[in-house]
Amino acid sequence: MSSSPASADAEALRWRMNSLLYPKLFGEAGSYFAAELERRTGGSFVIEVRDRMVLDQDSFSALEAGLIDAVWGSAGHHHREDPALAIFSGFPFGPDPESFTAWMREGGGAEALDAIYARHGLKSLYCGVLPAEGGGWFRAPIETVADLDGLAMRAFGYGALTLRALGVVPYELPAADIRPALETGLVAAAEFSLPSIDADLGLHEAAGHLYLPGWQQPATSLELLLPERRWAALSDDHRSAIKAACEATLSWSLELARERQVMALDRFRAEGIEIHDWPEEILAALRQAWTEVIAEETARDPLLAAAWESYLKHVESRGAASAQGYID
């Protein structure tokens, strides 16, 4: 794409993009994408990024009404509008970022996601990926499966459903409410995001035990979401520029995110935070619970079943060894 300035007589295309993501890294990636797009189009396509101007659950209606032009986030943010989307944010015992990217690019993942979003008149572009989340913050050590029974825990998505199968009582709390909930005892544990982002929220100061690996989300995908009609109305050059900016953002986001996780874990160790490996007994129970959860979920929705089958076929074609990846 040309990087020369837009001609004086050509009016720039200007969009408003609502970012649903935590400002550090998640939100930064949206701003990086917008800057890349403007650069690659020589200023003929400008996106203004606005943080949480519209809430997750209002995104579809805001896009339909034209209040916003696009959304920066992850598909799982829209699980209230369509539960099948949760799997495209990353899922329990799923692929690492590289394997998730391979599924989306060449293994049928993008097509499966398109089929789900098509029932809402929306188009998603795969624009970023982040490494494994932490496995959760706990106020007291977790040593057996029995320790999970009745435990109040902030959790999200398929991870929350899997934990619930083992007796955990999950709460889906927004970022700002997690630390107070831990400090007041409303919850005794919480999983939210990458260790670096958890550190920004001060979760390590409210719960001194971090468990790894982040089995519930070994990768987190980022997307640009917009109405299908708006995508179709773009010029070929602008569509190509969006795809190129997405590719650049994907590489940038993963590299920076990994660096930050190493620094965050080093910081935790220096501050005396206890970092535990999940006991094998608990991981085995979680894996079995996830098998049951995904069987129930796919039985409810043919398009989710098709997406899951696409992933399993992709894993089989690449070899099962490529399907796992965690923060060490």
Side-chain angles (χ1 to χ4, degrees):
M1 295 301 298
S2 170
S3 59
S4 60
S7 60
D9 59 349
E11 184 177 351
L13 179 61
R14 297 184 180 276
W15 279 10
R16 292 169 299 172
M17 182 170 74
N18 183 51
S19 177
L20 298 174
L21 299 167
Y22 186 71
K24 285 196 176 182
L25 188 60
F26 286 172
E28 289 171 347
S31 297
Y32 182 93
F33 163 79
E36 275 291 301
L37 181 62
E38 185 172 351
R39 181 183 69 81
R40 290 171 182 273
T41 61
S44 70
F45 197 163
V46 179
I47 291 183
E48 177 188 359
V49 182
R50 299 186 179 184
D51 292 334
R52 300 191 69 82
M53 180 175 64
V54 175
L55 297 177
D56 305 20
Q57 61 267 30
D58 299 325
S59 296
F60 286 14
S61 58
L63 287 168
E64 175 63 27
L67 298 177
I68 53 177
D69 301 295
V71 172
W72 182 263
S74 193
H77 282 104
H78 310 297
H79 69 94
R80 299 174 189 85
E81 288 79 6
D82 196 323
L85 292 168
I87 202 168
F88 288 97
S89 283
F91 50 87
F93 302 101
D96 65 12
E98 288 80 8
S99 295
F100 192 98
T101 298
W103 176 45
M104 292 299 292
R105 282 178 170 167
E106 60 202 43
E111 292 78 4
L113 180 57
D114 280 344
I116 294 171
Y117 269 132
R119 55 189 177 191
H120 305 283
L122 298 173
K123 169 70 176 176
S124 169
L125 289 102
Y126 183 56
C127 290
V129 66
L130 303 173
E133 294 187 345
W137 294 92
F138 295 80
R139 296 176 63 180
I142 300 295
E143 298 176 349
T144 68
V145 175
D147 291 334
L148 295 174
D149 192 20
L151 185 77
M153 181 175 181
R154 190 277 175 193
F156 170 80
Y158 284 134
L161 292 179
T162 303
L163 286 163
R164 188 168 66 186
L166 297 185
V168 170
V169 181
Y171 293 83
E172 186 176 335
L173 301 173
D177 294 345
I178 300 173
R179 179 175 177 175
L182 283 167
E183 291 176 333
T184 60
L186 176 63
V187 297
E191 67 85 10
F192 178 64
S193 187
L194 303 174
S196 64
I197 294 176
D198 290 348
D200 289 335
L201 294 174
L203 301 190
H204 62 298
E205 297 173 358
H209 300 270
L210 172 63
Y211 277 77
L212 300 176
W215 60 270
Q216 77 283 0
Q217 208 159 317
T220 297
S221 66
L222 307 180
E223 69 174 6
L224 175 72
L225 183 66
L226 64 156
E228 283 183 328
R229 66 180 185 279
R230 193 171 293 278
W231 174 252
L234 290 172
S235 68
D236 289 341
D237 284 348
H238 280 166
R239 283 197 293 266
S240 294
I242 286 176
K243 292 177 180 178
C246 280
E247 287 295 310
T249 305
L250 191 151
S251 298
W252 175 87
S253 62
L254 183 57
E255 180 179 358
L256 182 59
R258 280 182 164 150
E259 292 176 359
R260 289 184 177 178
Q261 302 334 297
V262 172
M263 291 188 291
L265 292 176
D266 286 345
R267 171 186 170 184
F268 294 152
R269 293 185 181 100
E271 294 182 7
I273 300 300
E274 295 191 47
I275 300 177
H276 306 267
D277 292 331
W278 279 109
E280 287 300 322
E281 172 201 352
I282 295 179
L283 284 178
L286 288 167
R287 188 184 294 274
Q288 178 58 39
W290 164 241
T291 300
E292 295 167 5
V293 166
I294 191 59
E296 293 173 0
E297 293 294 303
T298 53
R300 295 190 184 103
D301 188 336
L303 289 183
L304 175 59
W308 183 242
E309 183 63 24
S310 166
Y311 169 69
L312 294 179
K313 287 181 177 178
H314 174 68
V315 170
E316 183 179 359
S317 70
R318 289 173 61 91
S322 68
Q324 295 293 341
Y326 301 117
I327 293 177
D328 293 326

